Amino acid sequence: MFAGFTAQGSWETWLTFRNSTDFGQTDPQFGLDLSFFVFEYPFYRLLLGFGFAIAILALIGSLVTNYVFGGLRLQTPGQKLTSAARVQISVLLGVFVALKAVAYWLDRYGLVYSSRGDVFTGASYTDVNALLVPKTILVFVAAVCAVAFFANIVVRNFLLPAAALVLLLASSLVIGVAYPAIVQQFVVKPSANEKEAPYIERAIEMTRQAYGLDEIEYVNYAQETTGDEADPEVALAELRGDTETIPNARLLDPNVLADTFTARQQIRNWYGFPEKLDVDRYTVDGELRDYVVAVRELDSSALSENQSTWINRHTVYTHGHGFVAAPANQVVAGSDGGEPNFTTLDLPVQGDIEVDQSRIYYGELIEDYSVVGAPDGTAPRESDLPEGGSDDRQINNTYDGEGGVSVGSFFRQLTFATYFRERNFLLSSAVNEESKVLYVRDPRDRVEKAAPFLEVDGDPYPAVLDGKVTWILDGYTTSDSYPYSEQMELGEAAADALTGTGTTALPNDTFNYIRNSVKATVDAYDGTVTLYEWDTEDPVLKTYMKAFPGVVQPYEDIPDELREHVRYPEDLFKVQRDILTRYHVDEPISFYEGSDRWQVPDDPTQNVEENQPPYYILAQRPGDAEATFQLTSALNAFQRPNLSAFVSASSDPDPERYGKIQVLQLPGSTPFRGPQQVQQSFNTFDQVARDLTLFNSQNSQAVFGNLLTLPIGEDGLLYVQPLYVEGTSSNSFPLLRKVLVNFGGQVGYADTLAEALDQVFGAGAGEVATDSGDAPTTPDDGEETPPASPSPSPTPAPTPDDGGNGAPTPDLDRAVSDLDDALSALADAQRSGSFAQQGQALEQLQAAVEAYRAAQEAAGGSATPGG
C-alpha cells in the first residue's frame, strides 16, 4: 500500500515509458534517440528510487527486528551479530551498493541536464571531460563493493566489505567531486567562453528544437533607416501603398472594453462578460476582418438577493444567452461616439455573424451547478429570453441538450445531495426523474478532466461554428526531460502585466519542452469536449494517443470551419519569446557574453514592471501577399528601452503557414524607440498632456489602450494606441476619444486614425485608414453613418480638439489660451501657499474648462468618428 500510494502520482511516467515513441533524432553525446531521455530515463530513475527506498526500509526493519529478537546484541561483549543476522544485513547492504552502481551508470546520462555551465543547460566541458569517465569508474568500484558484501555470506567477516566501502567513498570524493571541481576552477573558468563553445552550440540547437524555435524566419528590417529619422517620402509612399495593415489597425482593446460591452449589451443583471474579451476573425461579405468578441454568460455573482434562493440560483437562472461581436477597427460615430460598433448583438442574436444556438450553459463565468430538464408537458422553468414589449416579461425554456448527469433514481439524488451538501435534491419538486445536473462548467476544467495529460492555455475564446457557440482551447504537451534544453517555470513564463505575476491559469511546473499539440473545443450548449490532433509530428502526443486510444481525434477530422478560427496560443508565444531573447544568437561566444541579448519590454500602459502582453492583429507581414491574423510582440535590447526586434506568429489556417514565426531584426547600431519610449513621447506631447489634465478629473479618467506595433512596408514600424475616457461613477464605461500614432519619432494625435496619420505624414496619408470614408460605421439604430472626413490640413496639424475638421476656430484657440493661463495661475497660487489665491485660480480654471468644452462642441468636436 505504501508503494502504491507513492507510485500513483507517477502514472504519466509509466504510461509514457510503456508507449514510448521515437523522436527520430539522437543526442550529440551518447548517440541515443531522444525518446530515451524523455520517456525511458525518468522511468528508470523512478524504479531506482523505489529500489533505494525498499533497500533502506528493509535494512532498518532488519536492524530493529534483529535487535528486538537478539540477533543484534550491542551491549554484550564478543560477537555482536548472529550468523543469520550477518547474512541478512550483508545481503541488504550488498543490494544497496549494487543499486548505487546502477545510479552511477544512470548519472552518466543525467549529465545532459547539468547546470554546471551557468549560462546554458546540458553537459559542459567539465561534465564531458572530467566527470563522465569517473562516473564509469565508480560504477565498477560500486559493483566490486557489492560483490564484497555478498561474499560476506560465505566469508562471514566484515573487514572485506568495509574495506571495499572505504574504497568506494574515497573514490567518489576524489574522482567524482574533487577532480571535476579542480578542472572547472583551473581549466574552464579562465577561458570559459572558448572551452564551453561546443557545448553551448548543443544547448542553443536543442533548446530551439524543444521550444519550437528551430525554423524561425529572420528578416533584416529597416536597414536603411537611421533610428527615428525615417525618410518621410519613402514612408508616405509605403503608407499609401498599404492596403492590408493600416485599414485593419485595431482600436478596440479587448482588455479595456469589458465594462463597455456590459453597459451596452448586458440586457439582464444576471448576464455578464469576462474582464478580458477576445479577438477573433470572421469573413463577412467576402472580407476578412478581426472582431472583439464575447458571449453573454450567466454571472451568478450578479444575482440580486431575492434571485439568490436555491430554486432561482440553481433551476431558474441556469444559463447565459447570446454572442456579441464588434469590428476591432471601428467605433460608432455620432451621439454615441466612441462606442464599439456592435454588428452582432442583442437577444435574440442578430447581425452579420449568424448564430442558431446561442444559449450558453458552459462558460468561464459560470461557477454554480444547475438542475435542468423536466417531464414533457411541464411548464418551462429556466429563464431564457426577454419577451420584449412594455411589460418586459421573460420567456422560459427547458434544456434539451445532451449535457449533464441524469439525476433519476433516489440513490443518485442522495449522491448529489451528499456531494453538494444540499438537501433540496431530496426535497424539492424541481428535482425529478427527468432532471440533469450540470457541473464542471468551465471549458478549461472540462478539457483538463478529459485529457489530464495536457496543459491547457489560460485563454479560451468563443467562436461561432456551424451556427453554434463553441469554446476553442489550446492544449500543450510538455516534458521536463528534453536533453540540453533550458528549464523554465510554466506559470511564471506565461505571466504578463494582464495576468499578474504568479496568477496565470497554468501551473508553475518545471518544463523544458512544449508543443501546441491539441486543439480542443467545448460546446457552449451541451458541454461536449472534442480533442483534435494539431501537431502531427509531436512524439509526446503520439505517445499519449497510444496510451489513451480514441481520446484525441486525428488531424484529418478537424472541421474546415474550426480551422478558420484557430489562433496561435498566447501562453506558448509568451514562453517562446522569452526563450528567443537569449537563444536567437548563433555564435556561442556572443551567447556566453550576452552581448546581443534581448528583453521583453514592460507594459507601458500599466504602472507595474511586468511584461507587455502579446497582441493579436490582422496585418500584412513583410514578404506576404495579404494580411493574416497573427500574434505579435516587440522586443527591446537587454536592460535598454530601445527596440531590437519585432516578433510575429502566424495564425493562418493554411498548415504550411500556421505557426510560422517571423522576427524583424532592427539594426543594432541604431536606437529605435521601444514601447516605453513611445508611450513617454505620447504622455509628454503638449496636446496630449493638456487633454489628460481634462480627462483625469473628479468625474472621469483617461485609459490608454494597447500600444500596437505595426510593420509598414519594408522600412518602418508604426505605433498605434487608442485613448479612452471613462467616467468615475459606478455605471460608467470607457469610450474611444482619441487615437495616437508614432512613426520615426513623429507623433500624431487626433479624433481618428486618419487624422492622426495626416498629422505625421501629411495631408491625404490617412486615406488608407478605415475611418477615412472607405467603410461606414453602423450605430445601434441600424442606419449607416459615414465617418468624419480626414483632415486636409498639412503637417503640423491644428490642435486636436478642433472638432476633427482640420480647421482651427478663433473661439477654440481663445479657449485653449485661457486654459493655459488658468493652469499657470493655479501653479503660481500653489507655489505661493495662499489658499485664497488657490481658490480664485481653481474658479478661473473651472471657467476655462467649461469655455473650452463649449468651444469644442461648437466646432463639432462632440462627434467621435469611427476608428
Side-chain angles (χ1 to χ4, degrees), residues 21-337:
T21 303
D22 286 347
F23 276 71
Q25 178 185 352
T26 58
D27 85 287
Q29 182 62 45
F30 299 100
L32 298 173
D33 190 89
L34 299 185
S35 61
F36 169 81
F37 298 95
V38 176
F39 302 130
E40 298 174 24
Y41 181 80
F43 181 68
Y44 296 146
R45 277 293 182 186
L46 178 66
L47 289 183
L48 184 63
F50 268 89
F52 275 123
I54 292 169
I56 292 173
L57 290 174
L59 181 60
I60 294 173
S62 174
L63 292 173
V64 171
T65 304
N66 278 296
Y67 180 78
V68 171
F69 289 95
L72 172 62
R73 296 182 292 271
L74 299 177
Q75 292 83 7
T76 60
Q79 192 74 18
K80 303 294 184 180
L81 287 173
T82 65
S83 297
R86 182 185 297 107
V87 169
Q88 187 178 36
I89 293 173
S90 296
V91 169
L92 292 175
L93 288 173
V95 169
F96 180 85
V97 178
L99 289 173
K100 190 61 181 174
V102 176
Y104 282 132
W105 182 258
L106 289 179
D107 285 346
R108 298 167 63 255
Y109 301 110
L111 295 177
V112 300
Y113 309 117
S114 172
S115 59
R116 191 188 298 270
D118 292 333
V119 299
F120 67 97
T121 300
S124 65
Y125 177 93
T126 300
D127 294 321
V128 172
N129 296 281
L131 194 56
L132 185 59
V133 173
K135 287 286 185 182
T136 306
I137 294 173
L138 288 173
V139 170
F140 292 102
V141 174
V144 170
C145 187
V147 171
F149 274 105
F150 291 133
N152 198 40
I153 299 173
V154 178
V155 176
R156 298 186 180 184
N157 188 331
F158 271 108
L159 290 178
L160 179 61
L165 187 58
V166 170
L167 175 62
L168 176 61
L169 292 174
S171 301
S172 63
L173 290 175
V174 173
I175 67 174
V177 177
Y179 176 61
I182 292 171
V183 171
Q184 180 70 22
Q185 186 67 32
F186 297 102
V187 177
V188 176
K189 281 192 174 182
S191 55
N193 56 348
E194 297 177 359
K195 293 291 185 181
E196 302 287 19
Y199 308 101
I200 292 176
E201 285 185 353
R202 294 178 179 180
I204 293 174
E205 179 184 1
M206 300 297 284
T207 300
R208 287 176 177 176
Q209 293 175 1
Y211 290 95
L213 298 172
D214 52 334
E215 296 183 359
I216 291 180
E217 177 190 4
Y218 289 93
V219 177
N220 292 325
Y221 192 72
Q223 298 299 305
E224 303 300 322
T225 302
T226 306
D228 291 333
E229 298 178 3
D231 187 332
E233 294 184 2
V234 174
L236 181 59
E238 291 183 340
L239 189 74
R240 288 178 168 171
D242 180 274
T243 60
E244 300 288 344
T245 300
I246 296 299
N248 292 302
R250 178 165 59 79
L251 299 181
L252 297 186
D253 185 347
N255 306 305
V256 171
L257 293 176
D259 289 342
T260 306
F261 271 56
T262 301
R264 302 301 295 152
Q265 285 294 313
Q266 184 181 23
I267 309 291
R268 290 288 186 268
N269 69 287
W270 57 86
Y271 294 141
F273 296 97
E275 292 184 5
K276 182 179 183 295
L277 307 179
D278 291 293
V279 179
D280 196 6
R281 73 283 200 197
Y282 289 84
T283 301
V284 177
D285 297 330
E287 180 183 356
L288 181 65
R289 178 181 296 173
D290 55 343
Y291 289 79
V292 174
V293 299
V295 293
R296 194 181 291 106
E297 297 187 47
L298 172 68
D299 185 4
S300 301
S301 64
L303 293 173
S304 63
E305 184 176 353
N306 66 323
Q307 292 172 330
S308 295
T309 64
W310 187 85
I311 289 293
N312 285 334
R313 194 177 189 89
H314 297 286
T315 69
V316 176
Y317 301 110
T318 60
H319 62 282
H321 210 308
F323 182 83
V324 180
N329 61 344
Q330 296 180 9
V331 292
V332 173
S335 59
D336 294 329

Side-chain angles (χ1 to χ4, degrees), residues 250-257 498 603-606 612-613 615 675 678-679 682-683 692 701-709 719-725 734-740:
R250 178 165 59 79
L251 299 181
L252 297 186
D253 185 347
N255 306 305
V256 171
L257 293 176
L498 295 178
D603 189 349
T605 67
Q606 307 288 330
Q612 183 184 37
Y615 297 124
V678 170
Q679 187 69 58
F682 288 158
N683 294 342
L692 289 178
Q701 61 180 356
V703 180
F704 282 103
N706 40 210
L707 179 59
L708 301 180
T709 309
Y719 287 93
V720 177
Q721 184 176 45
L723 176 59
Y724 302 89
V725 177
L735 295 173
L736 179 66
R737 288 308 185 199
K738 298 291 181 179
V739 180
L740 301 101

Side-chain angles (χ1 to χ4, degrees), residues 630-649:
Q630 54 194 274
L631 188 56
T632 64
S633 177
L635 293 177
N636 285 353
F638 184 62
Q639 294 185 346
R640 296 296 302 155
N642 50 289
L643 194 68
S644 286
F646 177 76
V647 187
S648 63

Side-chain angles (χ1 to χ4, degrees), residues 435-691:
S435 295
K436 293 181 176 181
V437 182
L438 309 181
Y439 59 102
V440 189
R441 304 175 75 176
D442 186 282
R444 288 191 77 255
D445 293 341
R446 296 187 69 78
V447 173
E448 287 174 344
K449 287 183 177 294
F453 51 86
L454 294 177
E455 301 291 351
V456 183
D457 190 88
D459 186 26
Y461 61 99
V464 178
L465 307 179
D466 195 25
K468 298 187 297 183
V469 178
T470 303
W471 293 98
I472 302 177
L473 304 94
D474 290 278
Y476 306 126
T477 48
T478 61
S479 173
D480 61 356
S481 302
Y482 199 87
Y484 301 94
S485 176
E486 180 173 322
Q487 299 275 353
M488 298 187 72
E489 301 292 328
L490 189 57
E492 180 180 332
D496 58 31
L498 295 178
T499 65
T501 303
T503 60
T504 61
L506 293 173
N508 211 24
D509 295 336
T510 300
F511 75 109
N512 67 353
Y513 172 92
I514 187 170
R515 289 290 185 272
N516 175 210
S517 52
V518 170
K519 297 291 184 182
T521 62
V522 178
D523 192 302
Y525 184 66
D526 62 25
T528 299
V529 177
T530 308
L531 307 175
Y532 295 102
E533 176 188 23
W534 186 251
D535 189 338
T536 58
E537 303 298 324
D538 179 25
V540 180
L541 178 62
K542 291 180 179 179
T543 296
Y544 281 120
M545 290 177 70
K546 285 192 258 183
F548 300 98
V551 171
V552 179
Q553 307 305 311
Y555 178 85
E556 293 75 18
D557 290 353
I558 301 177
D560 291 338
E561 195 168 7
L562 173 59
R563 295 178 191 270
E564 296 297 322
H565 291 277
V566 294
R567 305 188 317 191
Y568 199 82
E570 286 188 67
D571 288 341
L572 173 62
F573 185 77
K574 285 185 280 189
V575 169
Q576 289 177 318
R577 72 176 179 178
D578 187 275
I579 289 292
L580 195 61
T581 59
R582 301 177 298 282
Y583 287 87
H584 69 280
V585 179
D586 292 319
E587 289 295 325
I589 295 179
S590 296
F591 181 92
Y592 184 87
E593 296 172 350
S595 57
D596 192 22
R597 186 173 175 179
W598 296 339
Q599 177 178 305
V600 179
D602 292 338
D603 189 349
T605 67
Q606 307 288 330
N607 293 322
V608 292
E609 294 183 358
E610 295 179 352
N611 290 344
Q612 183 184 37
Y615 297 124
Y616 288 105
I617 63 173
L618 185 61
Q620 183 177 8
R621 301 203 297 191
D624 288 355
E626 58 185 4
T628 58
F629 194 64
Q630 54 194 274
L631 188 56
T632 64
S633 177
L635 293 177
N636 285 353
F638 184 62
Q639 294 185 346
R640 296 296 302 155
N642 50 289
L643 194 68
S644 286
F646 177 76
V647 187
S648 63
S650 174
S651 294
D652 192 306
D654 185 344
E656 296 298 323
R657 291 190 287 181
Y658 176 89
K660 298 301 181 184
I661 297 177
Q662 183 186 77
V663 177
L664 305 183
Q665 296 187 108
L666 300 173
S669 58
T670 304
F672 286 77
R673 293 174 186 259
Q676 290 172 304
Q677 291 177 317
V678 170
Q679 187 69 58
Q680 180 68 11
S681 72
F682 288 158
N683 294 342
T684 57
F685 192 62
D686 288 344
Q687 298 166 358
V688 177
R690 185 182 302 123
D691 276 2

